[in-house]
Amino acid sequence: MADLAVFYEHPQWFESLFKTLDRRGLNWTPIEIQDHTFDPGDAALPAPVILNRLAMSSFLRQEEHALFYSMAALDHWQSLGARVIYGPGVLAYDTNKARQLSLFRKAGLEIPKTRVAHRRADVPRLAAEIGYPVMVKVNVGGSGTGMIRYDSPEELEAAVADKLTPMGVDGVALIQEYVPARDARVIRCEVLDGKLLYALALDGAGSTFDLCPADVCMVDKPTITISEFKPTADITQAVEKVAKMSGLDVGGIEYMIDDRDGVARFYDLNAMSNFVAKPLEVLGWDPHDKLVDYLLREIGARAKVAA
């Protein structure tokens, strides 16, 4: 049996990871999510350590996506004793932006004013409570999809009448104030093993809602520039607190500085990190090696348990 299984959906996104695993000599096996099925009565594990690389945007690429299927498969392996990195617990946050926002508030952090609805007819009333302009977002998103800004009640009501407002694969919508990000910048803090690994400033964020900073994502986004960023001690502490509360093994937590009042507002947790494009240029080092170091520690810890 392999020491590590990588459960993944988008092969292009993980070429750097796969090359690093091979270069470092890990005994690992790939599991392509789209071709996968499982037997709930089968007690065999593909590996003692399983790295889940399910992307929330997978529903954009496959009509018969595996978002909720994967939660069952990962929970099955975890119940059999596997160490699942990005397991069903944190996946339950990743597939639910409403839960993410509640988590941020539980951690004592500020968020954009938000209402959550499961009926399209409720959206105009909730938008009026917040005030325009508003964002209507899907609850399960990815790569900036399912996000539309509305600047007036008339515009939103017409979209509701035509059933054009975002609702998403789970039928839940978020109605959220439009936060003017200071300097059109958002900050993505990457964590590994519960600690801040690095942070990125994404400048020009007002030009797109797709803020994925990885190689494949950056092809059609020349207006976004990325640079390393050093968060304050308070922000670092907040990010690590959220990571601990959510069980986030490796992934990103995003916030922006509200230009109206200078307050940091947290708005997204993304557990499927594939790291920054051109890391040697941006950071001066490759985070994939840090990830593999972590995987080796987890493999070693699991071997000790088995012994």
Side-chain angles (χ1 to χ4, degrees), residues 163-184:
K163 298 183 178 181
L164 296 177
T165 54
M167 289 303 288
V169 296
D170 64 349
V172 177
L174 277 63
I175 302 88
Q176 192 170 85
E177 68 173 331
Y178 178 80
V179 176
R182 182 159 293 176
D183 300 321

Side-chain angles (χ1 to χ4, degrees), residues 139-198:
N139 195 40
V140 184
S143 299
T145 190
M147 300 170 60
I148 300 178
R149 170 176 163 165
Y150 298 94
D151 292 321
S152 69
E154 294 77 18
E155 183 184 7
L156 178 57
E157 288 165 7
V160 168
D162 292 335
K163 298 183 178 181
L164 296 177
T165 54
M167 289 303 288
V169 296
D170 64 349
V172 177
L174 277 63
I175 302 88
Q176 192 170 85
E177 68 173 331
Y178 178 80
V179 176
R182 182 159 293 176
D183 300 321
R185 164 183 285 183
V186 302
I187 307 299
R188 180 181 174 109
C189 298
E190 292 286 347
V191 299
L192 177 64
D193 196 17
K195 298 294 183 180
L196 179 70
L197 184 62
Y198 64 86

Side-chain angles (χ1 to χ4, degrees), residues 206-253:
S207 63
T208 177
F209 297 131
D210 182 0
L211 302 177
C212 168
D215 293 272
V216 173
C217 303
M218 293 304 296
V219 172
D220 297 319
K221 287 188 294 191
T223 54
I224 295 288
T225 59
I226 296 176
S227 58
E228 187 176 14
F229 183 82
K230 300 295 184 183
T232 64
D234 287 347
I235 292 292
T236 298
Q237 184 179 27
V239 166
E240 293 180 352
K241 183 178 183 179
V242 170
K244 182 177 180 179
M245 291 171 65
S246 63
L248 181 64
D249 306 292
V250 53
I253 294 169

Side-chain angles (χ1 to χ4, degrees), residues 7 33-34 54 58-59 62 64-71:
F7 188 66
I33 293 176
Q34 279 308 109
L54 171 69
S58 61
F59 73 90
Q62 300 97 23
E64 297 176 301
H65 63 81
L67 287 176
F68 305 109
Y69 166 87
S70 296
M71 196 175 298

